[in-house]
Amino acid sequence: MAEIRLTRVEQGQTKIRNVPIAVTPEGFWCCPSPVVFQKTLKAQNPLNKPKPSSPPPPKITVHKKHTPVTERKPTLTPSRSGIVPDDQRNFGSETPGLSAPVAAERAPRPKIENLPRKVAIEFGEPGTSDMRVLLLGKQGFCVKLSVHKNVLVENSRYFADKLSEQQSGLSSLEIDDCEDVEIYVETVGLMYCKEMKQRLIKQSVSRVLRILKVAELLGFNSCMQSCLEYLEAVPWVGEEEEEKVVSSVLRLQNEGLGVTPVLKRVSSDISKPAKDTLPQIIDLVLKSNEERGRREMKSIVLKLLRENNSLPSYAGSADICNETLYSSCRSCLDSLLSLFRQAAEPGFTDKSMNSKEPVVKQIAFEADNLSWLVEILADRQAADEFALMWAGQQELATLHSKLPIVSRYHVSCITARLFVGIGRGELLPSKDTRQLLLQTWLEPLINDYSWLQHGCRSFDRKVVEEGIGRTILTLPLEEQQSILLSWLGSFLKAGDNCPNLQRAFEVWWRRTFIRPYTETQGNLFQSDSSMTSQ
């Protein structure tokens, strides 16, 4: 903490500016207003001229030795501590009794600028106190506190230790380089308050954290406890403030204080979250029928899971999460297949709209659930297994062609997302899986393409077309040719209602007809064949 030293305050060394003081019933001051300190600091600017009504300060020439008037006599000990009887000190004097030779004899202080040190504010009642504390800020700003020894000793381990090391007649302390003079004054003032929590109620979280820091340095346990009670009850606004509170409280874990109630807000007594918590959240989102709430919660859960993926500590929970996601995928797939079977029955199209509409809505509902689950799996680089599951849905793909396009097109969003994921490298299914996926679901996707463009808000045509093309180009050249020639026939008939795979077609064309590896290709095949025969 700030260095504390016991020293004599010379006559004429300080210039005291009295300010209005609100004295509490306990005999001390209320929490000082920050405005008082701000105004005083501005007044301490050396460029400001003294008021005409005030007598001019004595002119002391010390430029030859560059020694400010704030420096002490060389008779002090190396630790800069001294004990001076009470009758030799005059804290409130404005008598210019300091001469130039005395100032010139003193050794320079390296950390304080060449500014005259002035006591700009004083707190307490000098007539009833038996102890003076002079706080020196880093800008040469000083505050004098008139306090009582018994109050300091009863409330502060730090003051008790310092005073016990010295003679009983000690009546003044000087504390150097206080980082936060304003809060230091307020914290000492709280030693006189019986209900500290009431004093803290109207304070901000950031200010209470500053008080907590000074109270910790002073060993002021009752103040620290009151700060902790305040922090446990008050809301924390924003992640930055929460991090500051938690880091400040964690420092006090070994102080024997009640930090647990505060930390319980951000940590659980259970070492690991319950395994059924995440499945419960996902299940609630998947089964919600309220469109707006469902959409917003899907977005939030997806964002939070993405944040979890970036944390090294979350790696151990990844398997549990993936198991939950795949369990939900299987449930949605079973429900979707059942709905397709129901919608593909011969008499379904002849039923009334009231009978058909719930089935159609439920198909869109389950397809949307699967699209969201695939998005999460792709973000976690865990969608390879789902690509295999989806590629193996032969019955679902067969029933797809039997349903009206308005009932089925949502399912093609799942296919489109898988192609985008493969194109981006978010999932790396095997060659057989990629081939089966294209064989099973590319044609249904082409058939639904017009409705996808106009019926799905999240559908991005360019991204999907790039994903399809890249997926095709990962296959052997013969498979590329078969798929792209089939696509060409559809594109020439449907135009904009068909995916535009021209870029993939150009790549395939160059690979097939320009053949940059023509000369080496034969040797490569021969080498592979010889190795296989051996």
Side-chain angles (χ1 to χ4, degrees):
M1 65 174 291
E3 180 183 355
I4 183 167
R5 53 195 173 92
L6 317 174
T7 185
R8 175 178 178 177
V9 181
E10 297 291 343
Q11 185 179 20
Q13 179 178 344
T14 60
K15 181 179 179 182
I16 300 175
R17 175 190 172 195
N18 291 318
V19 297
I21 299 173
V23 180
T24 68
E26 294 86 354
F28 206 62
W29 56 88
C30 292
C31 298
S33 168
V35 178
V36 173
F37 285 90
Q38 293 168 4
K39 290 182 177 179
T40 306
L41 280 172
K42 182 180 291 188
Q44 290 293 310
N45 191 319
L47 297 178
N48 293 341
K49 295 182 179 180
K51 295 181 180 180
S53 59
S54 303
K59 295 184 179 180
I60 302 175
T61 305
V62 294
H63 300 293
K64 293 182 180 180
K65 294 188 179 182
H66 303 284
T67 307
V69 297
T70 59
E71 296 163 5
R72 281 171 219 68
K73 294 182 179 180
T75 56
L76 296 178
T77 62
S79 62
R80 300 188 300 175
S81 297
I83 303 168
V84 183
D86 197 18
D87 57 359
Q88 294 184 18
R89 295 179 177 78
N90 187 354
F91 284 83
S93 174
E94 296 186 16
T95 305
L98 183 64
S99 62
V102 173
E105 289 176 3
R106 295 172 182 166
R109 293 182 59 203
K111 288 188 176 181
I112 295 186
E113 295 81 353
N114 295 328
L115 296 174
R117 187 171 62 209
K118 298 180 180 179
V119 176
I121 307 177
E122 60 176 284
F123 291 95
E125 295 182 341
T128 62
S129 65
D130 59 358
M131 187 79 186
R132 279 89 171 168
V133 177
L134 189 65
L135 305 178
L136 308 180
K138 290 191 173 181
Q139 306 91 348
F141 176 68
C142 302
V143 174
K144 189 184 80 171
L145 312 179
S146 297
V147 293
H148 304 81
K149 290 182 183 179
N150 64 315
V151 175
L152 297 184
V153 172
E154 288 173 5
N155 291 279
S156 169
R157 293 194 309 270
Y158 186 81
F159 281 125
D161 293 343
K162 287 296 178 181
L163 293 175
S164 66
E165 296 172 0
Q166 308 301 332
Q167 298 177 3
S168 58
L170 179 67
S171 61
S172 66
L173 300 177
E174 184 176 314
I175 302 178
D176 268 344
D177 297 336
C178 290
E179 294 183 1
D180 202 342
V181 174
E182 175 189 341
I183 298 300
Y184 208 107
V185 171
E186 182 168 353
T187 306
V188 174
L190 289 172
M191 295 181 186
Y192 286 78
C193 297
K194 295 179 180 179
E195 296 293 336
M196 277 183 282
K197 189 175 180 180
Q198 297 300 318
R199 300 281 185 186
L200 298 175
I201 285 178
K202 294 184 179 181
Q203 304 294 335
S204 65
V205 172
S206 60
R207 189 173 182 86
V208 171
L209 290 176
R210 290 163 64 193
I211 295 173
L212 180 62
K213 181 179 179 181
V214 174
E216 180 187 1
L217 296 174
L218 293 178
F220 188 4
N221 282 3
S222 58
C223 181
M224 288 190 282
Q225 190 61 50
S226 296
C227 290
L228 290 173
E229 292 174 2
Y230 167 91
L231 294 171
E232 189 277 330
V234 74
W236 308 334
V237 181
E239 292 184 8
E240 183 179 354
E241 185 168 274
E242 179 174 310
E243 290 176 1
K244 289 180 179 179
V245 172
V246 173
S247 62
S248 297
V249 172
L250 284 174
R251 292 200 313 266
L252 305 177
Q253 281 185 313
N254 298 325
E255 296 291 333
L257 300 170
V259 300
T260 302
V262 181
L263 295 177
K264 275 189 173 182
R265 190 182 295 190
V266 295
S267 62
S268 173
D269 292 334
I270 305 173
S271 58
K272 293 183 180 180
K275 290 185 178 181
D276 59 347
T277 304
L278 183 60
Q280 183 181 1
I281 294 171
I282 291 178
D283 189 60
L284 287 171
V285 174
L286 293 176
K287 291 182 178 179
S288 171
N289 291 317
E290 206 288 312
E291 183 178 356
R292 180 178 178 181
R294 168 189 168 88
R295 182 174 63 251
E296 291 184 359
M297 287 310 302
K298 282 186 173 183
S299 176
I300 290 172
V301 172
L302 179 62
K303 181 188 75 171
L304 295 176
L305 287 174
R306 282 174 176 168
E307 291 178 4
N308 288 357
N309 293 341
S310 62
L311 300 176
S313 59
Y314 188 72
S317 304
D319 292 339
I320 297 174
C321 183
N322 291 344
E323 290 175 7
T324 299
L325 294 171
Y326 273 108
S327 176
S328 299
C329 286
R330 284 186 284 270
S331 177
C332 291
L333 278 173
D334 292 341
S335 177
L336 189 61
L337 181 59
S338 176
L339 291 166
F340 263 54
R341 287 170 179 166
Q342 185 178 347
E345 292 177 354
F348 182 80
T349 54
D350 299 331
K351 291 182 179 181
S352 65
M353 195 64 183
N354 291 335
S355 300
K356 293 188 294 184
E357 188 174 6
V359 177
V360 174
K361 284 186 176 180
Q362 194 64 26
I363 289 175
F365 184 83
E366 296 296 349
D368 183 63
N369 282 342
L370 280 170
S371 296
W372 180 60
L373 292 170
V374 171
E375 188 73 34
I376 297 174
L377 289 169
D379 279 340
R380 301 171 63 82
Q381 289 84 47
D384 292 9
E385 184 180 343
F386 184 84
L388 180 59
M389 291 169 59
W390 189 247
Q393 296 295 319
Q394 303 293 333
E395 182 181 0
L396 191 66
T398 302
L399 294 172
H400 179 276
S401 61
K402 298 179 181 180
L403 269 62
I405 189 170
V406 68
S407 304
R408 75 190 189 203
Y409 76 94
H410 293 283
V411 172
S412 292
C413 291
I414 304 168
T415 305
R417 183 61 184 91
L418 288 174
F419 285 142
V420 170
I422 295 173
R424 290 174 174 173
E426 294 173 339
L427 57 155
L428 302 173
S430 65
K431 181 194 73 173
D432 292 339
T433 300
R434 299 194 304 273
Q435 185 175 345
L436 183 60
L437 184 64
L438 286 162
Q439 180 182 339
T440 305
W441 288 108
L442 180 57
E443 185 177 349
L445 175 62
I446 292 175
N447 294 336
D448 294 343
Y449 205 71
S450 176
W451 276 77
L452 288 173
Q453 294 180 73
H454 301 96
C456 292
R457 289 180 298 179
S458 60
F459 188 81
D460 188 326
R461 175 171 184 165
K462 291 184 178 180
V463 172
V464 172
E465 289 171 354
E466 184 176 43
I468 297 171
R470 289 182 175 181
T471 302
I472 294 171
L473 294 173
T474 63
L475 298 177
L477 195 60
E478 292 79 5
E479 297 296 334
Q480 297 174 36
Q481 176 177 323
S482 174
I483 294 172
L484 287 171
L485 289 180
S486 175
W487 160 81
L488 181 59
S490 300
F491 183 72
L492 292 174
K493 293 178 182 179
D496 287 342
N497 293 328
C498 179
N500 189 338
L501 307 180
Q502 292 183 27
R503 294 180 64 181
F505 186 83
E506 291 176 8
V507 174
W508 164 78
W509 179 280
R510 295 189 184 97
R511 290 176 178 177
T512 302
F513 298 108
I514 299 179
R515 306 290 290 274
Y517 304 106
T518 301
E519 296 179 359
T520 61
Q521 191 176 28
N523 296 333
L524 180 62
F525 285 147
Q526 289 179 4
S527 176
D528 290 344
S529 300
S530 61
M531 291 177 64
T532 304
S533 61
Q534 290 177 1

